C-alpha cells in the first residue's frame, strides 16, 4: 500500500495553485490528506501530479463578516471547533465536528477537503446544505460563487472546473436565538454516518418562522427536506408536527448498498429527523443559544 | 521457601521495550542488501490462468526479478502439504505456493516481484498481465451442495470437503421421552484475524553458514520449520525459524502460508535477504479467516427444562483450500454438551468448499460456535417454557461431584472428552451477583417507562484448554548468576516471558529480573508446538516448574557437598544458597555453575553432569477444562436498532492463576473480541466472490467508544491434570460472549417476540425483525 | 522518474536534513530513513491509529502525511516520549502498571495520541477517554486497561 510515484508541487498562493491546475491535466489537490492519502496508498487514485496546498496560508482562516462566517478551505476541522465565532454563532458546527473522524484526523482534515471529497454521508456537506452556504471557487478568470444546492453535481463530484480551487465557504448566520441540532447514526463513534441530520429553526414568538432540515447519507448527495420545512413553518413546537416532518423524511430518496438498504436509511432518516427536531425545540425553548 | 511469585500481580517484563518503541517486530528487522517483495494476487474468485506476462514488470527500473511458480524451480511445482491429515478429509485441496493454472479465491498468490523497495515492487505489480478465463464461483455455502451446483475447484467431484458427526447416547430415546421438542436455526459468522500487526516474512539463506533463516510473524515457528523442511525435502537442522515480537495472532498466524515457502526460495535464488510485509489490503484477502456456519438444531427437554437430547446438522464454510486440516469444524462439535449434562447428542457437520479465503481458527476456533449453539438452545428452552434462564442452567449443569465427567464426545484423536474440574453453578452465582441480576427486572421496568428497552442475557461455557503434547522449557544457570530460560512457546502478547519467569524465579529462588528469556526461536530451543487453543500455560507452566525444580535439586545437592551440610538445611534466595540458621555460610548459583562447568584440567564434581541446567517437557495429562459464565446487559434503541452493551459481567475459572493481571487482560480482551463477533465484524463477499469489506471503515472492529466496562471475578478450581493446577485463559472471554449478547437483545425485545437467527446482529436486521413483528 | 525533495525535520529533538522521495509517507520515512521503528503501520489507510505521531505537538496519522510535508516541522514519536535520562512518561508508567498493552503493536499510537489528548484535556473521565482513543484500534486488550492507565496517568500529570 505505497502510492504510485507522482510529481509533488507545493505552491504558496492560490494563484500558483490555479496555474498548476491549468498546466497539468492529471493533478490532484492535497489538502488535509485524510481522504486522498488512503486513496493514494491503495492506488485507487494514481495522479501524475500532486499539488499540496498546505502551504497556501491565505486559505487557512475563519472570519466573521457580520452576517456570515467565512471559512477558508484549508481551515483544519480541529481549528474550526476552537473558533469563538463558531461557538457563539454557528454552534451546530461543534456538535457536528465532534463526529468527523477522530481528533487525530481532525487535526489535519480540512473544511474544504471534506467539501470537495463530498462523501454523501459526511457531516460538513450536510451542514452546508442546512445553511444554504455559498462555495467560493477561484479560477483563471477570478472568483465564482456556487450555492451549495448546486455544489454536488453527482455522487462525490463537486461543481468545480479542472482549473478551479475551492477558496472558502460563506455560511450565513441564523438569528442569535435559533434552535439547532445535529444527530447522526453511525455504527461506531467517528465512522461515516449511515444517516446524519442537521436541523435549524427560528421562532417568531411561539411559532416556527423558519426551518432547515438536511439529511446526509440517504441519497448520493446531502438533501434538504423542503416539504418538511414547510410543514413546520407557522406551527408551535409540537411533537405531533415533528412526527409529520419525520414521516416526510421517511419517504426520502435513499440508496442501497452492500451494507445498508434504502428502507433502513429511510427509517433512520425519520427517526433522526424527529429526534433532531425535539432537541432543537428544547434548545430554542430554553434559549440555550 | 523463597519469595512467592505465582499468584502475584507482577508487572510484565515484556513491557519496558514495547512502551518505549523498542520492540522488534518483523518489519523492524533490516539487513544490508535486503530486497523487498510484493505479491500479485488473483483478482478473480475462480478462474483458469492461461498465461502470465511479466516482461514489462521485469523491465522496470529497480525490479530485480518477477517469479511465477515455474520460476521457483522445477522441483517446486507442487501443492503444499496437508498440515493435519485426517480421514474425514475426502477431497484434500491445498494450494500451490504460487498459483499454477487455476485460482480459487480473490487473493490467491500468483506471482511475486522482488525489487529495491516495496513501492517499486508495487509499481511492477500493476504491469503484470494475467490472462484469466473466468469460471463460475461458489459463494453461498447453503446451495453449494445442491445437485448441479458450480464447483469451487474445477477438478473436484463436489463441494463437499468431508463430513463429521458427534454422536453419543440414545438420541431416539431422548426425543421419544421428551415433553417438548423445540427447534431453531441460526447462522454464525466469525470474521478474520485483524491482529494490528499484519503477517510478514524475512528470509535469508546462508548455505555455508546458518542455512535458511526465517523471521516470521507467527504463532508456531516450529510447525513452520517442520512444514517447510518437509515441503522442500531438506533437513530441519538447516532451517531456523524465529518469531520475533509478534503483534497479535488470534489463530490465523498459527498456520503455514504460501509466502513462507515463496520468500525463502526467492531469497535463496536471489542470494540476498528478502522481506515481505503483508499490507492491510492483502490481510483481508490472503490471511485465513473463519466464515459462516449454518446450524439447524432440535432440542428434547422435560417440562422442567431438563435437556434430554440435542440433534441436528451444521453446514460449515471452509473457503477454497484446507490449510489447517479440520481443526476448526472439529472444535465446533466437541464442546457440544457445553457446561451441561446432556445424555444424548447427534449432530452432523458438512464441511463445504467455497471460492473465498481459506479457513483457519480465530480466537476460540470453533468453540465459540459450539458453545453458542448449546447456549442458544438453552435460551430457546427457557423462553418457550417461560423458565428463568438461570434456573434452566442450574437444572442442567454438570455438577462438581460428577467430575471427572465424560461427556460422551470424542476429541480429534479419538480420546473421550472429560471435564476434569470446575463448579459451573458457583460461576453462575458469581456472575449473577456481579451483574445485579436479581434487581434487573426493576431496572428494566423503570427504563421501559422512559421508552428504553433493556435486556439481560446469560451464557455459560466450558473450554478445553491446554491441548498437548508438550511445550518444553530449559533452565540454565550461567556463571554470571543469570538464569537463562528457553522455551518453544511463542508469544503474541500473552506475557509468556513474565509468566514463565515468575514460575522459575519462585521455584529456583531467584528474582525475575535475573532471568534471560529466550523463546520462539527454533535455533535456541529444539522442539515446540505453538500458541494455539489456550494451551501455553497448561503446558509450559508445568515444564518450567519442573525444569526449575531439577536445577534447584542439582544446585542444592552440590551446595550441600561444598558447604558440608544436609540439603534439607539449605535454601535459595535471590540466587544465593544459604544454610538455614547460618546466614554467613553461602554459595551463589553462579559459583555452583562454575563448579559444574570447570575449566580444562579440572574435574566435574563426582556424581554430577556438567552444566547447571535442566530441560523438561512435562505438561498436562489431558485437557484442563476452563469454564465461565457471562452476563450481558444491553439497551436496544428501537428507533435505530442500535444495541448498546451497558454492562458486562464475567465469572471465570481457569484454575490457579499464575499472574491475575495477565489473566484479567486475556478475559477482557477476549470478551471484546466476542462482542465484535456478536455485533460488528462481518466480511462480505458479493455473489461473484469479490470481497466487499476491504478496509477498517467497512470491517467494523470493536472500538473503545462502544465497548462496556467488563467486571471480572474468578473462581480457582485447580486442575488435577498438571502440577500447578492451571488451565488456559486465552479464549474463555470470547467463547460465551455472542450468546450472552444475543440472549440479552431478545430479552430487551421480549414484547416483540423477536427471535434472532444470525450474528453479527446489525441494527438494520433488528429493525427488520421489529417491523415484521409489528406487522404481524 | 522518481521525484525527490530535500527536507529538514526535527525528530525527537534531533535535526535531520535529507532527500526523500515525495511519495514516501511520513510513517515510512520515520521507520526507514530515521530508523525509528517504534512508529507502527497497522492499516495505512488512516483508521487504526497505530502510526500516530505528534506534528508540532498535535497528534496526526503518519500514514496519511507525506514525509515531504513534514519539512520545517517538529515530530515526536513514541521514542521521544520518555525523558532524556530514560525516565518514563507518566503514560508509559501507567500502561506498564495497568497492563495497558499485550502485543504492543498499537501501543505507540495509543501513547502518542493520549499524550496529546491529555495535554489539551487534563481532566477526562472514562467516557471522554473512550471517545479519545476511538481512533486507535487495539485487538488485544479490550481497551479497559488502556482507559484505566490513562485515567491514572492524567491524575499523575495533574500532580494528584
Amino acid at each position: 500500500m505505497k502510492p504510485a510515484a507522482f510529481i509533488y508541487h507545493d505552491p504558496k498562493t492560490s494563484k500558483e495553485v490555479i496555474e498548476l491546475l491549468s498546466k497539468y491535466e492529471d493533478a490532484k489537490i492535497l489538502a488535509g490528506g485524510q481522504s486522498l492519502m488512503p486513496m493514494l496508498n491503495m492506488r485507487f487514485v494514481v495522479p501524475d501530479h500532486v499539488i499540496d496546498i498546505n502551504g497556501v496560508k491565505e486559505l487557512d482562516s475563519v472570519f466573521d463578516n457580520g452576517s456570515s462566517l467565512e471559512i477558508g478551505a484549508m481551515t483544519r476541522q480541529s481549528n474550526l471547533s476552537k473558533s469563538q465565532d463558531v461557538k457563539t454563532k454557528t454552534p451546530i458546527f461543534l456538535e457536528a465536528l465532534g463526529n468527523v473522524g477522530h481528533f487525530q484526523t481532525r487535526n489535519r482534515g480540512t473544511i474544504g477537503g471534506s467539501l470537495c471529497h463530498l462523501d454523501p454521508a459526511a457531516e460538513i456537506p450536510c451542514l452546508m446544505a442546512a445553511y444554504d452556504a455559498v462555495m467560493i471557487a477561484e479560477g483563471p478568470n477570478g472568483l465564482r460563487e456556487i450555492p451549495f444546492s448546486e455544489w454536488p453535481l453527482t455522487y462525490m463530484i463537486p461543481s468545480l472546473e479542472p482549473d478551479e480551487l475551492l477558496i472558502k465557504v460563506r455560511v450565513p448566520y441564523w438569528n442569535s436565538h435559533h434552535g439547532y441540532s445535529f444527530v447522526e447514526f453511525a455504527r461506531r463513534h467517528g465512522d461515516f454516518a449511515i444517516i446524519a441530520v442537521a436541523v435549524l429553526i427560528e421562532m417568531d414568538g411561539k411559532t416556527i418562522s423558519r426551518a432547515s432540515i438536511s439529511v446526509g447519507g440517504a441519497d448520493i448527495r446531502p438533501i434538504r427536506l423542503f416539504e418538511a420545512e414547510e410543514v413546520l413553518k407557522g406551527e408551535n413546537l409540537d411533537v405531533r408536527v415533528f412526527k409529520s416532518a419525520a414521516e416526510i423524511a421517511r419517504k426520502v430518496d435513499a440508496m442501497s448498498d452492500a451494507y445498508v438498504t434504502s428502507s433502513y436509511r429511510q427509517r433512520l432518516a425519520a427517526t433522526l429527523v424527529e429526534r433532531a427536531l425535539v432537541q432543537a425545540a428544547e434548545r430554542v425553548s430554553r434559549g440555550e443559544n | 521457601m523463597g519469595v512467592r511469585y505465582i499468584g502475584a500481580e507482577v508487572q510484565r517484563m515484556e513491557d519496558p521495550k514495547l512502551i518505549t518503541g523498542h520492540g522488534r517486530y518483523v518489519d523492524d528487522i533490516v539487513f544490508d542488501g535486503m530486497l523487498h517483495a510484493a505479491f500479485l494476487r488473483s483478482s478473480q474468485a475462480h478462474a483458469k490462468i492461461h498465461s502470465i506476462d511479466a516482461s514489462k514488470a521485469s523491465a522496470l527500473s529497480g525490479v530485480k526479478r518477477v517469479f511465477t511458480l515455474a520460476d521457483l524451480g522445477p522441483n517446486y511445482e507442487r501443492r503444499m502439504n496437508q498440515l493435519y491429515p485426517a480421514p474425514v478429509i475426502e477431497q484434500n485441496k491445498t494450494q500451490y505456493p504460487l498459483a499454477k493454472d487455476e485460482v480459487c479465491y480473490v487473493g490467491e498468490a500468483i506471482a511475486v516481484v522482488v525489487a529495491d523497495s516495496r513501492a517499486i515492487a508495487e509499481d511492477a505489480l500493476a504491469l503484470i498481465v494475467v490472462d484469466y478465463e473466468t469460471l463460475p464461483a461458489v459463494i453461498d455455502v447453503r446451495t453449494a451442495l445442491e445437485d448441479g451446483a458450480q464447483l469451487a475447484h474445477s477438478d473436484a467431484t463436489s463441494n463437499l470437503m468431508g463430513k463429521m458427526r458427534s454422536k453419543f447416547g440414545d438420541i431416539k430415546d431422548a426425543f421419544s421421552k421428551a415433553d417438548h421438542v423445540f427447534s431453531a436455526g441460526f447462522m454464525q459468522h466469525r470474521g478474520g484475524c485483524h491482529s494490528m500487526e499484519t503477517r510478514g516474512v524475512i528470509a535469508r539463506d546462508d548455505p555455508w553458514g546458518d542455512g535458511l533463516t526465517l523471521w516470521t510473524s507467527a504463532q508456531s515457528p516450529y510447525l513452520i520449520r517442520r512444514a517447510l523442511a518437509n515441503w522442500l525435502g531438506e533437513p530441519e537442522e538447516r532451517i531456523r525459524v524465529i518469531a520475533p515480537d509478534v503483534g497479535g495472532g488470534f489463530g490465523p498466524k498459527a498456520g503455514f502460508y504460501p509466502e513462507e515457502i515463496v520468500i525463502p526460495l526467492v531469497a535463496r535464488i536471489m542470494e540476498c535477504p528478502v522481506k515481505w510485509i503483508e499490507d492491510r489490503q492483502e490481510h483481508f484477502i490472503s490471511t485465513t479467516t473463519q466464515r459462516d456456519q449454518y446450524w439447524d438444531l432440535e432440542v428434547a427437554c422435560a417440562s422442567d427444562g431438563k435437556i434430554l437430547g440435542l440433534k441436528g446438522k451444521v453446514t460449515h464454510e471452509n473457503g477454497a483450500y484446507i490449510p489447517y486440516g479440520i481443526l476448526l469444524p472439529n472444535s465446533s462439535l466437541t464442546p457440544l454438551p457445553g457446561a451441561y449434562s446432556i445424555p444424548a447428542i447427534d449432530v452432523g457437520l458438512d464441511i463445504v468448499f467455497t471460492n473465498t479465503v481459506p479457513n483457519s481458527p480465530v480466537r476460540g476456533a470453533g468453540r465459540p460456535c459450539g458453545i453458542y449453539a448449546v447456549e442458544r438452545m438453552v435460551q430457546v428452552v427457557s423462553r418457550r417454557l417461560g423458565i428463568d434462564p438461570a434456573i434452566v442452567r442450574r437444572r442442567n449443569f454438570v455438577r462438581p461431584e460428577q467430575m471427572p465427567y465424560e461427556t460422551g464426545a470424542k476429541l480429534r484423536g479419538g480420546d473421550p472428552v472429560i471435564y476434569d474440574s470446575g463448579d459451573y453453578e458457583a460461576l453462575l452465582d458469581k456472575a449473577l451477583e456481579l451483574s445485579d441480576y436479581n434487581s434487573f427486572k426493576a431496572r428494566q421496568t423503570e427504563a421501559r417507562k422512559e421508552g428504553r428497552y433493556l435486556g439481560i442475557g446469560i451464557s455459560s461455557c466450558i473450554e478445553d484448554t491446554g491441548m498437548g503434547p508438550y511445550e518444553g522449557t530449559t533452565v540454565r544457570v550461567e556463571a554470571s548468576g543469570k538464569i537463562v530460560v528457553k522455551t518453544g512457546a511463542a508469544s503474541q502478547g500473552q506475557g509468556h516471558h513474565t509468566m514463565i519467569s515468575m514460575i522459575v524465579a519462585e521455584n529456583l529462588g531467584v528474582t525475575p529480573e535475573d532471568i534471560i528469556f529466550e523463546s520462539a526461536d527454533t535455533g535456541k530451543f529444539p522442539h515446540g508446538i505453538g500458541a494455539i487453543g489456550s494451551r501455553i500455560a497448561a503446558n509450559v507452566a508445568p515444564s518450567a516448574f519442573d525444569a526449575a525444580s531439577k536445577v534447584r535439586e542439582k544446585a542444592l545437592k552440590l551446595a550441600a557437598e561444598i558447604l558440608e551440610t544436609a540439603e534439607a538445611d539449605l535454601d535459595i534466595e535471590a540466587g544465593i544458597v544459604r544454610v538455614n540458621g547460618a546466614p554467613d555460610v553461602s554459595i551463589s548459583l553462579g559459583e555452583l555453575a562454575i563448579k559444574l562447568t570447570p575449566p580444562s584440567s579440572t574435574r566435574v564434581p563426582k556424581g554430577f553432569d556438567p552444566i547447571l541446567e535442566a530441560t523438561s517437557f512435562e505438561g498436562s495429562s489431558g485437557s484442563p477444562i476452563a469454564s465461565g459464565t457471562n452476563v450481558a446487559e444491553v439497551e436496544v434503541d428501537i428507533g435505530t436498532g442500535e444495541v448498546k452493551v451497558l454492562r458486562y459481567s464475567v465469572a471465570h475459572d481457569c484454575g490457579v492463576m499464575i499472574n491475575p493481571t495477565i489473566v484479567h487482560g486475556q478475559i477482557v480482551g477476549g470478551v471484546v473480541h466476542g462482542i465484535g463477533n456478536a455485533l460488528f465484524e462481518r466480511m462480505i463477499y458479493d455473489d461473484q466472490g469479490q470481497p466487499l469489506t476491504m478496509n477498517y471503515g467497512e470491517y467494523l472492529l470493536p472500538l473503545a467508544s462502544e465497548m462496556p466496562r467488563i467486571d471480572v471475578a474468578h473462581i480457582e478450581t485447580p486442575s488435577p491434570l498438571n502440577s500447578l493446577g492451571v488451565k488456559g485463559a486465552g479464549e474463555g472471554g470470547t467463547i460465551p460472549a455472542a450468546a450472552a449478547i444475543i440472549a440479552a437483545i431478545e430479552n430487551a425485545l421480549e414484547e416483540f417476540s423477536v427471535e434472532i437467527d444470525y450474528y453479527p446482529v446489525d441494527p438494520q436486521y433488528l429493525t427488520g425483525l421489529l417491523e415484521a413483528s409489528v406487522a404481524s | 522518474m522518481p521525484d525527490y525533495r530535500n527536507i529538514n525535520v526535527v525528530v525527537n529533538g534531533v535535526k535531520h536534513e535529507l532527500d526523500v522521495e515525495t511519495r514516501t509517507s511520513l510513517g515510512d520515512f520515520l521507520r526507514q530513513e530515521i530508523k525509528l521503528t517504534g512508529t507502527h503501520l497497522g492499516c495505512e489507510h488512516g483508521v487504526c491509529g497505530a502510526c500516530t505521531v505528534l506534528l508540532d505537538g498535535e497528534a496526526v496519522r503518519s500514514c496519511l502525511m507525506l514525509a515531504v510535508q513534514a519539512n520545517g516541522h517538529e515530530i515526536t514519536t513514541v521514542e521521544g516520549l520518555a525523558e532524556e535520562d530514560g525516565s518514563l512518561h507518566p503514560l508509559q508508567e501507567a500502561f506498564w502498571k495497568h497492563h495497558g498493552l499485550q502485543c504492543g503493536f498499537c501501543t505507540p499510537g495509543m501513547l502518542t495520541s493520549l499524550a496529546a489528548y491529555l495535554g489539551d484535556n487534563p481532566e477526562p473521565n472514562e467516557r471522554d477517554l473512550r471517545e479519545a482513543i476511538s481512533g486507535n484500534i487495539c485487538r488485544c486488550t479490550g481497551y479497559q486497561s488502556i482507559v484505566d492507565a490513562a485515567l491514572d496517568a492524567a491524575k499523575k500529570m495533574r500532580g494528584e
Side-chain angles (χ1 to χ4, degrees), chain A residues 99-280:
Chain A
N99 291 304
V100 180
H102 305 278
F103 83 95
Q104 302 98 326
T105 64
R106 294 194 291 272
N107 281 340
R108 292 293 294 171
T110 62
I111 301 304
S114 174
L115 286 167
C116 291
H117 185 63
L118 211 49
D119 190 293
E123 291 82 1
I124 293 165
C126 185
L127 286 176
M128 296 304 155
Y131 272 98
D132 290 319
V134 178
M135 311 288 110
I136 300 165
E138 188 177 346
N141 304 321
L143 299 179
R144 182 167 73 96
E145 299 201 350
I146 307 133
F148 187 81
S149 58
E150 293 167 20
W151 177 248
L153 291 179
T154 179
Y155 181 68
M156 298 180 81
I157 305 284
S159 171
L160 264 187
E161 296 300 323
D163 54 2
E164 279 185 321
L165 175 71
L166 179 67
I167 297 294
K168 62 181 169 185
V169 298
R170 198 161 61 223
V171 181
Y173 295 139
W174 283 46
N175 76 26
S176 56
H177 306 296
H178 75 277
Y180 68 92
S181 173
F182 188 94
V183 293
E184 69 169 49
F185 181 68
R187 290 301 311 279
R188 304 172 305 176
H189 181 75
D191 283 349
F192 273 114
I194 298 173
I195 292 289
V197 172
V199 161
L200 301 166
I201 48 178
E202 276 179 6
M203 304 297 292
D204 182 3
K206 293 246 177 228
T207 59
I208 301 170
S209 57
R210 187 182 172 204
S212 167
I213 305 174
S214 70
V215 178
D219 204 355
I220 57 170
R221 69 197 94 189
I223 40 176
R224 279 283 288 277
L225 298 182
F226 295 115
E227 196 190 331
E229 291 168 10
E230 283 308 313
V231 164
L232 295 170
K233 265 183 232 168
E235 297 285 345
N236 290 346
L237 298 173
D238 181 343
V239 174
R240 278 171 306 177
V241 181
F242 299 161
K243 282 194 189 298
S244 326
E247 284 316 306
I248 294 168
R250 196 183 299 280
K251 297 190 195 83
V252 71
D253 285 334
M255 319 175 272
S256 251
D257 58 37
Y259 302 92
V260 184
T261 61
S262 58
S263 68
Y264 181 64
R265 285 196 162 91
Q266 289 169 326
R267 181 192 179 102
L268 281 183
T271 301
L272 300 187
V273 162
E274 184 180 335
R275 288 180 185 176
L277 284 168
V278 168
Q279 190 178 40

Side-chain angles (χ1 to χ4, degrees), chain B residues 118-131:
Chain B
R118 170 74 185 208
I120 294 171
E122 289 186 26
D123 295 343
L125 292 183
L127 301 175
I128 301 175
V129 181
V130 180
D131 180 10

Side-chain angles (χ1 to χ4, degrees), chain B residues 522-764:
Chain B
T522 65
K524 297 219 167 127
F525 189 80
H527 310 292
I529 308 289
I532 54 170
S534 300
R535 64 180 298 281
I536 295 299
N539 284 285
V540 86
S543 71
F545 186 83
D546 187 44
S549 301
K550 285 175 174 154
V551 171
R552 180 187 178 87
E553 271 170 40
K554 197 169 178 179
L556 290 180
K557 189 175 165 210
L558 181 61
E561 282 182 18
I562 294 167
L563 301 176
E564 297 175 339
T565 181
E567 281 174 53
D569 292 336
L570 295 174
D571 204 355
I572 314 176
E573 231 173 294
I576 313 284
V577 186
R578 289 182 201 281
V579 180
N580 291 329
D584 294 345
V585 186
S586 69
I587 184 165
S588 73
L589 288 175
E591 288 170 279
L592 289 169
I594 293 168
K595 299 262 182 212
L596 282 179
T597 316
S600 60
S601 81
T602 51
R603 285 201 191 113
V604 174
K606 211 171 169 190
F608 287 88
D609 302 331
I611 309 179
L612 187 45
E613 173 185 282
T615 295
S616 171
F617 287 93
E618 192 180 317
S620 290
S621 57
S623 275
I625 306 291
S627 49
T629 290
N630 290 7
V631 180
E633 189 171 324
V634 305
E635 176 174 350
V636 181
D637 177 341
I638 65 161
T640 62
E642 184 182 26
V643 176
K644 276 202 178 108
V645 184
L646 301 179
R647 199 166 165 174
Y648 201 99
S649 311
V650 179
H652 191 251
D653 181 356
C654 58
V656 172
M657 289 188 286
I658 298 162
N659 185 329
T661 307
I662 290 177
V663 171
H664 188 269
Q666 289 295 315
I667 299 297
V668 171
V671 166
V672 165
H673 196 137
I675 296 176
N677 289 149
L679 297 176
F680 291 102
E681 295 180 37
R682 184 155 197 201
M683 177 77 195
I684 300 178
Y685 284 84
D686 73 9
D687 53 12
Q688 306 299 308
Q690 286 296 330
L692 302 177
T693 317
M694 285 292 292
N695 64 59
Y696 282 153
E698 292 164 345
Y699 189 88
L700 306 178
L701 286 164
L703 301 179
S705 40
E706 282 69 41
M707 290 302 112
R709 180 158 279 275
I710 293 154
D711 298 315
V712 185
H714 294 281
I715 288 178
E716 292 184 84
T717 315
S719 172
L721 302 178
N722 59 61
S723 53
L724 290 165
V726 300
K727 306 169 185 176
E731 296 160 308
T734 306
I735 291 168
I741 297 282
I742 285 159
I745 297 170
E746 287 185 347
N747 180 249
L749 302 177
E750 198 71 62
E751 65 193 76
F752 300 97
S753 304
V754 159
E755 208 153 281
I756 290 168
D757 63 4
Y758 89 58
Y759 71 80
V761 174
D762 60 80
Q764 126 180 302

